[in-house]
Amino acid sequence: MAVGSLSAMSSAPSAFLAPLSGVSTSADGLVIPRSFGARYGDGLHLGLSLGGGGLFFVAWQVTYLHEMAKRGVVLGGAQRIVGTSAGSMTAAVLQNDAIGRFDKQLAVMARIPALVSRLAPASDFTTSQQRALDLFSAATDSSVDTLRAIGGAALAAAAPAPSVMERNAGLVILSRRWQSPALHITCIDTYTGERCVITRDAQIPIARAVAASSAIPGVFSPQPIMDRRCMDGGVSGSGTHLDLLAGAERVVVLSLTDGSVTDVGAMTQAPGGFAAELADLRDAGTEVFLRSPETMDIERLMDPTAVPEAIAMARRQAAADVESLRAFIA
């Protein structure tokens, strides 16, 4: 398939895009159980997963995607785009055809305190905020009990009102509409611990969906999503939700980590959790193109001073990857 034809897929009929509606286990259609055996990606030629990783990773992803687009490798036409946490913001900008506009803003982002403060709040949290954040950071599993405990702490935290994050996300996205049925945004129900997937069919404002997916426990308040209160999609044992693409022919994954097996779990991911997720995706018959930043400091993911470093890194990596990625998605 020619690269140029991919951008046209975003306007294809929803049936062609194989939406996940119809496989939900909840009356509101939001809950999609994590399962590689379900092969949610069957019938897709190309999928894209944009994982979580704070302000640093938003800058890296946007720059990487824009540099690819300038060279004719346009990933915005993927038949399914899964955005989680930071990746949900990138995905929303991508489906709004605004990667170029946002890329221009990145270079000066660190010098705009008002914008930076919206995306990266100060770290002097209240006791209730710190309690929720610590609970999330220290979690080494994604059991229902663990997720519900984190969700309860997130609801109890004295974080800014939900409307604040929704408004700020909207200022970045600059769109009230879901442009594409390909976009799938993940979040977690704070009460049940269930994984929810928001699409255009749910008729949820896109800024609210992004705010929910990015609602780090303790940092931001859970968002009202229908009759639920939802938090960060990364509070789930996965920062990429690759099962939503299992069975697709090819999947591009932009992840904060490179899939190396880890000895220590954190932030609800068990040791080696992401490596196992990648293996499960490949076992489903899906070819994978994985890219992550050359280096990253987990302590600086929400630090605006790390943005220039992320931009420079992404430009180098995109220049090196362009021909291999062009061949991969063809």
Side-chain angles (χ1 to χ4, degrees):
M1 182 178 293
V3 173
S5 67
L6 291 174
S7 60
M9 289 182 182
S10 62
S11 60
S14 58
F16 178 71
L17 293 165
L20 288 169
S21 57
V23 298
S24 177
T25 59
S26 61
D28 58 14
L30 295 180
V31 175
I32 308 294
R34 287 185 64 187
S35 170
F36 282 89
R39 299 181 63 87
Y40 296 128
D42 271 348
L44 302 177
H45 169 69
L46 180 67
L48 173 64
S49 172
L50 301 174
L55 181 61
F56 168 87
F57 202 36
V58 171
W60 187 95
Q61 289 178 333
V62 168
T63 302
Y64 188 88
L65 291 168
H66 181 57
E67 290 296 312
M68 285 295 173
K70 288 196 301 183
R71 294 166 171 83
V73 182
V74 182
L75 292 172
Q79 292 164 290
R80 181 169 299 152
I81 301 173
V82 178
T84 298
S85 198
S88 72
M89 186 166 291
T90 305
V93 172
L94 183 66
Q95 68 95 50
N96 196 34
D97 236 358
I99 281 290
R101 184 264 306 165
F102 194 50
D103 179 78
K104 292 178 182 177
Q105 293 178 346
L106 286 174
V108 295
M109 182 177 287
R111 300 196 298 273
I112 307 177
L115 178 58
V116 173
S117 65
R118 291 177 182 129
L119 299 177
S123 58
D124 53 342
F125 300 125
T126 65
T127 299
S128 62
Q129 286 181 283
Q130 194 64 54
R131 183 169 55 235
L133 185 57
D134 289 348
L135 197 59
F136 169 46
S137 300
T140 58
D141 68 80
S142 57
S143 68
V144 170
D145 286 345
T146 296
L147 300 189
R148 293 182 69 178
I150 296 170
L155 288 168
S163 59
V164 173
M165 182 57 178
E166 180 180 353
R167 182 187 68 240
N168 295 341
L171 291 173
V172 173
I173 300 166
L174 289 180
S175 176
R176 295 178 178 272
R177 298 178 56 219
W178 291 74
Q179 303 293 341
S180 170
L183 180 59
H184 291 61
I185 292 178
T186 66
C187 57
I188 303 300
D189 186 308
T190 55
Y191 179 73
T192 67
E194 295 168 305
R195 192 261 305 275
C196 296
V197 180
I198 308 173
T199 66
R200 190 170 71 178
D201 290 346
Q203 299 184 334
I204 301 293
I206 191 167
R208 186 178 303 169
V210 168
S213 188
S214 306
I216 304 168
V219 180
F220 303 112
S221 292
Q223 290 288 319
I225 302 295
M226 294 186 179
D227 194 33
R228 303 173 185 270
R229 296 297 179 271
C230 293
M231 60 183 171
D232 197 308
V235 188
S236 60
S238 174
T240 52
H241 296 272
L242 297 183
D243 67 299
L244 297 175
L245 298 165
E249 291 180 38
R250 299 172 189 181
V251 168
V252 176
V253 182
L254 301 188
S255 167
L256 189 63
T257 56
D258 64 3
S260 299
V261 176
T262 55
D263 297 324
V264 179
M267 294 187 287
T268 71
Q269 289 202 30
F274 182 52
E277 197 171 351
L278 284 169
D280 286 339
L281 181 60
R282 291 187 171 111
D283 287 346
T286 298
E287 294 183 53
V288 179
F289 183 101
L290 169 67
R291 189 58 71 235
S292 59
E294 296 166 342
T295 61
M296 67 93 180
D297 181 349
I298 199 167
E299 300 295 330
R300 298 182 67 208
L301 295 183
M302 295 298 286
D303 182 353
T305 66
V307 167
E309 182 181 335
I311 292 172
M313 197 183 305
R315 284 177 177 162
R316 287 194 303 271
Q317 291 182 267
D321 288 347
V322 62
E323 294 308 324
S324 57
L325 186 54
R326 192 192 308 277
F328 180 81
I329 69 175

